[in-house]
Amino acid sequence: MLEERVLYFDIVNGISGDMTIASLLNLGVPTEMFLEEMEKLNLGDEFNIEIKSKNESGIVGTTVNVVAKEAHAHRHLVDVFEIIDNSTLKDNIKERAKKIFMTIGEAEAKVHGTTIDKIHFHEVGAIDSIVDIVGCSILIDLLNIDRIYASCVPVGSGFVKCDHGIMPVPAPATIEILKGVPVKLNTVKGECTTPTGAAIVKTLCDEFIEVLEFEVDQIGYGIGHKKFEIPNMLRTILGIKKKRK
């Protein structure tokens, strides 16, 4: 029997960049090791990462908050890639992060009727979103994962305020990203899956499946900052999947 080290995104109530980092850290990755890797972005004191424990509906998990100096930023995809390429991170981490940004860029270009090189990344081009995506790529590398799976993606309902104004939930870029992915509509009032979260799970997952047989090793809980009528958390499960040769 062969063994695969697998990660399962159990998407309880949506997914965002900060919740993904928080849940992966909660699997047992040493905070110091993660922060040392993040320093390789070479952005100096442009951001600070606050990592804390938080109780959500009786479950203790991790919450992550990225505090950036810049108030707002509009970057093209090439600007984001330049930041990543100029870092001293491992090549596979850089490529994984760039693939996630490409997923967002392609969706944004489709929604706005333009080309990917002309797209201005608004919220996603800000330092905090860059940190979320690069941080996720770092953690996947540190966890030494062979395959990634995920459940159906809840997206929420209602409206959300963004750089372009008031948008329906899921936001146009989010639902464009999630083409081909099983989703749940109208799960809660509000945006529970962000474009960043959607791009992470769409880009990284090998398969979306509700039933997966594997041996559970570690369980991580990432707690979000929004308040919903149900617990706002992302659960990640790390384990071993056995398969025949």
Side-chain angles (χ1 to χ4, degrees):
M1 297 286 283
L2 297 176
E3 292 186 348
E4 284 185 329
R5 187 171 170 84
V6 302
L7 178 72
Y8 186 74
F9 283 100
D10 183 18
I11 309 176
V12 180
N13 185 23
I15 180 170
S16 64
D18 62 282
M19 289 169 69
T20 303
I21 290 179
S23 64
L24 295 177
L25 281 170
N26 197 242
L27 285 170
V29 176
T31 299
E32 298 77 12
M33 183 184 297
F34 169 67
L35 294 177
E36 284 178 7
E37 287 296 308
M38 288 302 305
E39 287 179 3
K40 295 179 182 178
L41 263 177
N42 298 324
L43 291 175
D45 60 352
E46 289 299 310
F47 68 91
N48 183 48
I49 303 177
E50 298 175 349
I51 302 170
K52 300 177 181 178
S53 292
K54 184 178 181 181
N55 189 307
E56 176 79 0
S57 300
I59 298 173
V60 177
T62 298
T63 183
V64 170
N65 185 37
V66 179
V67 182
K69 277 191 174 182
E70 63 182 22
H72 202 63
H74 290 186
R75 291 185 174 90
H76 288 91
L77 187 62
V78 66
D79 300 320
V80 176
F81 279 12
E82 184 176 5
I83 290 173
I84 295 172
D85 286 334
N86 287 341
S87 74
T88 54
L89 291 162
K90 291 164 60 177
D91 287 343
N92 65 313
I93 293 175
K94 292 179 181 180
E95 290 307 310
R96 186 182 296 117
K98 287 161 69 174
K99 283 181 181 178
I100 296 171
F101 271 108
M102 277 294 294
T103 299
I104 300 173
E106 290 169 353
E108 291 277 7
K110 178 70 178 297
V111 167
H112 298 298
T114 186
T115 57
I116 195 167
D117 59 304
K118 293 180 180 178
I119 279 292
H120 274 86
F121 285 95
H122 300 289
E123 290 92 345
V124 179
I127 289 293
D128 55 346
S129 294
I130 294 172
V131 171
D132 283 344
I133 290 173
V134 173
C136 172
S137 183
I138 287 169
L139 288 165
I140 293 296
D141 183 72
L142 291 176
L143 288 165
N144 194 27
I145 296 162
D146 295 313
R147 289 181 67 82
I148 300 175
Y149 300 87
S151 63
C152 183
V153 182
V155 294
S157 64
F159 297 87
V160 63
K161 185 176 182 180
C162 62
D163 196 80
H164 292 285
I166 303 298
M167 293 286 180
V169 172
T174 301
I175 198 65
E176 183 67 31
I177 289 168
L178 292 174
K179 279 184 175 179
V181 173
V183 302
K184 293 179 184 177
L185 298 173
N186 304 321
T187 46
V188 295
K189 289 292 183 182
E191 182 186 41
C192 59
T193 290
T194 66
T196 299
I200 288 171
V201 75
K202 172 69 176 285
T203 307
L204 299 186
C205 283
D206 296 291
E207 186 177 358
F208 290 85
I209 186 169
E210 293 296 322
V211 179
L212 178 66
E213 295 183 4
F214 65 107
E215 294 179 3
V216 175
D217 182 22
Q218 299 284 342
I219 304 166
Y221 293 94
I223 311 299
H225 299 284
K226 297 177 182 177
K227 290 295 181 183
F228 296 106
E229 56 265 35
I230 61 176
N232 187 22
M233 66 175 66
L234 171 66
R235 178 161 58 189
T236 49
I237 305 171
L238 191 63
I240 300 297
K241 186 175 185 294
K242 296 182 179 180
K243 63 178 185 178
R244 298 186 184 280
K245 294 182 181 180

